[in-house]
Amino acid sequence: MDIEQELGERGPARSGPRDSLFLLTSLESTGGAPLGRARVRNLSATGMMADCERPVPSGIEIFMDLRGVGRVKGKVVWARGDKIGIAFDREIDPQAARKPVSSLSKTQPRSTHQHARQVKR
């Protein structure tokens, strides 16, 4: 593969550092229309690259929920088949998306059903 072809498949180059990861999210238009799920492959403070389950057109504004970060608005700046590049409207902390999702901690109250089962023993 030559360098021109490789650059064409990846989309435009970015200058900021980015993290490679595997994170699932759902995309929706700013009007609320679902655009399908996406696998986030690269994440930086200013944008991300993702594989989508269906084509998403370049140039549209979208919302996505990123684990550990929250709801983020961005614009699809390039699309190549099922891959897209998104520029965020605001900078995020990409390391927040890497933090593990914690399970129910011992300090959180249990549901009434769990507590009732424990009392009956």
Side-chain angles (χ1 to χ4, degrees):
M1 176 183 297
D2 67 12
I3 191 72
E4 260 184 49
Q5 184 181 5
E6 185 179 334
L7 286 174
E9 289 176 2
R10 286 191 322 215
R14 294 181 293 159
S15 59
R18 57 188 171 264
D19 292 325
S20 292
L21 71 158
F22 182 82
L23 180 69
L24 292 174
T25 188
S26 293
L27 307 175
E28 70 178 51
S29 73
T30 54
L35 299 172
R37 292 184 304 180
R39 292 181 300 257
V40 179
R41 297 298 187 166
N42 291 311
L43 183 65
S44 74
T46 58
M48 70 181 207
M49 190 274 285
D51 298 329
C52 302
E53 66 182 359
R54 61 183 190 221
V56 176
S58 179
I60 67 167
E61 291 187 337
I62 60 172
F63 285 113
M64 71 230 68
D65 286 308
L66 297 176
R67 181 189 71 206
V69 175
R71 191 163 176 85
V72 180
K73 184 179 178 186
K75 183 175 184 175
V76 179
V77 292
W78 62 265
R80 309 273 188 297
D82 67 343
K83 293 180 177 15
I84 61 171
I86 299 170
F88 300 143
D89 281 4
R90 62 176 171 85
E91 285 195 8
I92 65 159
D93 176 7
Q95 292 302 315
R98 287 192 168 277
K99 292 180 183 173
V101 177
S102 63
S103 61
L104 185 65
S105 84
K106 292 178 183 177
T107 59
Q108 291 178 326
R110 293 185 221 168
S111 74
T112 315
H113 178 70
Q114 287 175 326
H115 182 67
R117 278 193 353 203
Q118 194 174 36
V119 171
K120 288 181 182 180
R121 291 185 185 167

